[in-house]
Amino acid sequence: MWDDAFPSFLIGLREGLEAGLIVSVLVATLVRAGARSRLPQVWTGVLAATALSMSFGAVLTFTAASLSTTAQEAFGGALSIVAVAFVTAMVFWMRRSARSLAGEIKEKVTGALTMGAGVLVLTSFLAVGREGLETALFLWTTARAADESAGPLAGAGIGLVLAAMVCWGLYRRVLSINLTRFFTVTGAVLVVIAAGVLGYGLRDLQEGGVLPGGTAYAVDLSGSVDAGAWYSTLLQGVLNLTPTMTWLQAVGYVGYLGVVMPLFVRGVRAVAPSASPASDAPARTSTRPVWLLPVAVVAVPALLAGLVVAVARPKPSSGESVAVSEADCGQGFTAPRPGRQTFLMRNTGKQTSEVYLINPATGAVYGEIEGLAPGTTRDLVATVAGGTYAWRCVPTDGKAVTSRAVRVGGGSAATAVVPVSERDLAAPLRAYKEYVNRGLATLVTQTRKLSDDIRSGRLDTARTDWLTAHRTYASLGAAYGTFEDFDQKINGRPDGLPDGVHDKGFTGFHRIEYGLWHDRPAGELKGPARQLADDAAGLRTAFPHEDFDPSDLPLRAHEILENTLQFELTGDTDQGSGSGLATADADLAGTRELLAVLRPLLTTRAPHLLSTVDADIARLRELLDSEHQEAGWTPVERLTPAAEARIDGATGQLLEDLSPVPDLLEIRKSA
């Protein structure tokens, strides 16, 4: 969140300070001219500008939300380019005008004082309105780039509050600030941030189909950079730099910086200040109610924004409208035409419901909506062919309700997913828990032997026994979620620990691995080895009593190898043993065991999937075996580029073919 807040904080501070300086000079000039009665005219202009800016932000937010995904990308990309143009013009103008800003404003105020109230209102409105519109546009752009609004809104709010405090201090003459230096430094930072916004906008235009080259990548570090790490989040939140960038993004980013930054730096020079005395023009009175103008300047932008949002929202889809509730499911459901259909599902009840389009005879699911809240409408898209269809609604607190069935004429039936219940997964879960119990019993024996080796000083033997025990643990991957704190103790990595590999919290297999392959004495490793054996025994005792969610089994079918691809095959977990491929082989064995217990369920739901996955597993196993000789396993960093590409490719293909398993075996309440 706070990584995404910085760009908005900076724009809020700069724009707020710019607008605040104008307002403070207006107020100070009126006060010193003895025209305090005209201060409400200034605040009316400020209020109007604020209302206009907020209305503009509402129009951006709600009209974009009503667009299709592709149109949203194109719309957001176009406004990102506009935002970059505004920010660029703003930083150059402030670089040029910072020193003479107060003098220019005083000249404008002097002229406004000699004219009517409307001119003074307009002066403050234009002064603040421009900054407000720029802030709203930039804030919307950064919020969209961050895919969340809390951080950008918080950052902008803090920046605006700080700007208001600075302006108050300047007005009260209790604070001094070198405006030229401030706007120069923040301008240079904003140029860098704007380059990132430009790159993000170009990417949006590519994804929206406006610009080509969406698959031509200049930079792709997704395989070696953790996108969820703090440094990745920071770079993406502040600078909009991502591990993957297309050629157009990269050229736009570098080109913008290469042109704009030199021009900005080259043009930084002092401008002589100027000032004009304030006028003592008398205040004019008005017979209008004092509340009329402030109310009007807020109401008019709000009404116009509401009108724009209402007009811009698309007409409802032409699909069949179906009402659902906890008492009556599928009101208005008639036999649809064969083909791809969109159903408008509206929850008219008082409870959130799961909604399924099913074959009432078999319970097979053709489409579903999870968590349809009361009073909301969502689209459900499904392919309809010849067959019988009905709706099944499952409220949060209540029994499932099934609509009347309708018959659709036509050819063969559409593809459906036979629902899975907890009862269906009970036997696979029981079989897998037995497998884990056997593995943990073996692990206890192996870790005790490893501890004995180290205690006796047999470090060569300990290295062999370490790999054997670690592979046993790795083969239990689908149960990691139930191991609770034991997994961190047994297989934790030094990442994030204050002292890294020397931290007292670094324990388990990788702590011993580091010691064994960095020639640490046996005496130093006795304690960690004994603790590992004790933790393995503790896990074996605790596991039968842990809650193993049956829905975890289908999820782990691909998650085990996702971790393999991310950590083992990149060498990220290696502490010197070079055993990444050996661990990957154990992960593959664990995946095979998991698929074995799920095979009866998958055979009836996706028989062709199993044959494909089996072929993928055989191919990956053959590639891993080719890197295993009598001397041991080839370390990941010593793989030839061709061998590494083949192993990574085979793992990626297996992951892709395993990806449907969680959806096929998802526990559905309609069963």
Side-chain angles (χ1 to χ4, degrees):
M1 168 180 166
W2 296 113
D3 305 305
D4 300 319
F6 179 73
S8 297
F9 163 76
L10 194 60
I11 201 73
L13 177 62
R14 275 186 61 100
E15 299 281 13
L17 187 56
E18 185 178 341
L21 286 171
I22 297 173
V23 173
S24 62
V25 171
L26 282 168
V27 172
T29 304
L30 289 171
V31 170
R32 290 166 193 164
R36 288 179 176 270
S37 61
R38 302 192 68 178
L39 286 178
Q41 298 165 12
V42 175
W43 298 122
T44 298
V46 172
L47 186 64
T50 304
L52 178 65
S53 303
M54 296 180 68
S55 298
F56 178 57
V59 169
L60 289 178
T61 301
F62 293 110
T63 55
S66 67
L67 298 175
S68 66
T69 302
T70 302
Q72 284 188 40
E73 300 291 351
F75 181 69
L79 287 185
S80 295
I81 306 300
V82 174
V84 170
F86 279 162
V87 169
T88 305
M90 179 261 293
V91 297
F92 276 91
W93 182 81
M94 287 305 296
R95 183 209 66 195
R96 183 174 62 254
S97 307
R99 290 207 173 195
S100 59
L101 183 63
E104 291 179 6
I105 297 171
K106 288 178 182 178
E107 291 179 2
K108 294 178 181 178
V109 175
T110 300
L113 285 171
T114 63
M115 304 178 72
V119 176
L120 193 56
V121 171
L122 183 63
T123 300
S124 60
F125 170 78
L126 292 177
V128 178
R130 188 190 70 172
E131 322 309 332
L133 292 175
E134 289 179 358
T135 302
L137 177 57
F138 193 85
L139 184 60
W140 182 86
T141 303
T142 53
R144 190 173 183 280
D147 200 25
E148 59 103 6
S149 58
L153 285 174
I158 294 171
L160 290 170
V161 170
L162 183 58
M165 295 171 62
V166 170
C167 291
W168 181 87
L170 292 173
Y171 170 73
R172 302 294 296 180
R173 297 183 179 182
V174 297
L175 182 66
S176 62
I177 183 173
N178 187 327
L179 292 178
T180 301
R181 181 175 300 174
F182 172 80
F183 284 118
T184 298
V185 173
T186 57
V189 176
L190 275 177
V191 168
V192 177
I193 291 175
V197 174
L198 175 63
Y200 180 85
L202 292 174
R203 180 58 176 163
D204 271 356
L205 291 174
Q206 288 178 315
E207 293 181 348
V210 178
L211 294 177
T215 58
Y217 295 107
V219 179
D220 187 358
L221 303 177
S222 56
S224 55
V225 174
D226 181 6
W230 67 268
Y231 52 85
S232 297
T233 305
L234 182 65
L235 287 174
Q236 185 167 345
V238 176
L239 303 179
N240 271 307
L241 289 175
T242 58
T244 303
M245 296 183 71
T246 65
W247 277 105
L248 182 60
Q249 281 183 281
V251 170
Y253 186 91
V254 175
Y256 177 88
L257 282 181
V259 173
V260 175
M261 187 63 80
L263 290 175
F264 179 81
V265 173
R266 190 181 307 141
V268 174
R269 56 179 177 270
V271 179
S274 62
S276 299
S279 170
D280 293 330
R284 298 187 180 184
T285 60
S286 174
T287 58
R288 289 193 304 267
V290 294
W291 55 266
L292 181 61
L293 189 58
V295 170
V297 298
V298 173
V300 171
L303 289 174
L304 289 176
L307 181 62
V308 171
V309 171
V311 172
R313 282 195 175 275
K315 300 294 187 297
S317 305
S318 59
E320 181 176 311
S321 180
V322 181
V324 300
S325 69
E326 57 269 24
D328 191 358
C329 185
Q331 299 176 52
F333 180 44
T334 58
R337 296 187 307 273
R340 191 80 166 164
Q341 298 293 328
T342 299
F343 299 94
L344 307 180
M345 309 305 300
R346 178 169 180 78
N347 189 341
T348 58
K350 298 180 180 180
Q351 294 187 34
T352 299
S353 292
E354 313 289 316
V355 182
Y356 304 94
L357 179 63
I358 65 169
N359 179 329
T362 64
V365 177
Y366 296 95
E368 62 185 294
I369 293 179
E370 297 182 355
L372 184 63
T376 60
T377 301
R378 285 163 58 187
D379 290 350
L380 186 151
V381 181
T383 300
V384 175
T388 304
Y389 297 85
W391 292 104
R392 179 164 292 169
C393 307
V394 187
T396 302
D397 297 314
K399 296 182 179 180
V401 180
T402 304
S403 74
R404 66 180 182 85
V406 300
R407 178 72 185 174
V408 176
S412 58
T415 303
V417 176
V418 179
V420 172
S421 65
E422 288 193 24
R423 183 177 180 180
D424 294 327
L425 283 171
L429 180 61
R430 186 165 53 251
Y432 192 78
K433 290 176 73 172
E434 291 174 358
Y435 163 76
V436 174
N437 278 317
R438 293 194 301 271
L440 290 176
T442 303
L443 180 68
V444 169
T445 301
Q446 292 172 342
T447 52
R448 285 175 180 168
K449 186 174 187 304
L450 173 62
S451 180
D452 291 341
D453 293 338
I454 292 175
R455 188 178 65 253
S456 302
R458 300 189 299 270
L459 298 188
D460 287 338
T461 304
R463 293 185 183 94
T464 301
D465 291 339
W466 175 90
L467 181 58
T468 301
H470 188 243
R471 279 168 51 83
T472 296
Y473 185 79
S475 68
L476 308 178
Y480 285 174
T482 65
F483 288 172
E484 295 190 342
D485 295 338
F486 282 105
D487 183 51
Q488 180 61 32
K489 295 177 183 178
I490 293 174
N491 205 39
R493 294 180 291 149
D495 303 29
L497 296 177
D499 296 324
V501 294
H502 303 294
D503 196 276
K504 292 182 179 179
F506 182 33
T507 62
F509 277 113
H510 292 300
R511 168 67 182 89
I512 298 171
E513 176 190 10
Y514 179 84
L516 288 174
W517 274 272
H518 285 80
D519 300 322
R520 306 307 301 165
E524 181 181 309
L525 299 178
K526 287 181 181 178
R530 183 172 57 253
Q531 181 180 348
L532 173 62
D534 291 342
D535 289 336
L539 175 58
R540 182 192 179 190
T541 301
F543 176 72
H545 307 288
E546 299 296 337
D547 183 23
F548 200 137
D549 189 341
S551 63
D552 281 351
L553 287 181
L555 291 174
R556 300 291 183 264
H558 65 94
E559 286 183 350
I560 299 173
L561 292 178
E562 280 182 348
N563 290 334
T564 303
L565 190 61
Q566 183 178 0
F567 299 115
E568 309 301 342
L569 296 183
T570 59
D572 187 67
T573 57
D574 185 30
Q575 299 299 324
S577 66
S579 60
L581 296 186
T583 306
D585 183 70
D587 291 340
L588 183 63
T591 301
R592 289 202 313 270
E593 184 65 32
L594 177 58
L595 289 173
V597 301
L598 295 175
R599 187 170 291 269
L601 295 176
L602 290 171
T603 299
T604 58
R605 289 165 175 80
H608 299 296
L609 173 66
L610 285 173
S611 59
T612 302
V613 167
D614 288 342
D616 290 342
I617 290 176
R619 179 185 173 216
L620 179 56
R621 186 175 186 182
E622 182 179 350
L623 290 171
L624 293 173
D625 286 345
S626 67
E627 301 297 335
H628 182 207
Q629 294 82 31
E630 291 184 6
W633 295 80
T634 305
V636 170
E637 66 272 13
R638 295 183 188 173
L639 287 171
T640 65
E644 184 176 9
R646 285 194 295 269
I647 292 174
D648 289 348
T651 307
Q653 184 61 55
L654 176 53
L655 279 171
E656 182 177 343
D657 291 333
L658 284 172
S659 61
V661 173
D663 186 59
L664 288 170
L665 301 185
E666 178 186 354
I667 296 177
R668 290 176 168 86
K669 295 179 181 178
S670 64

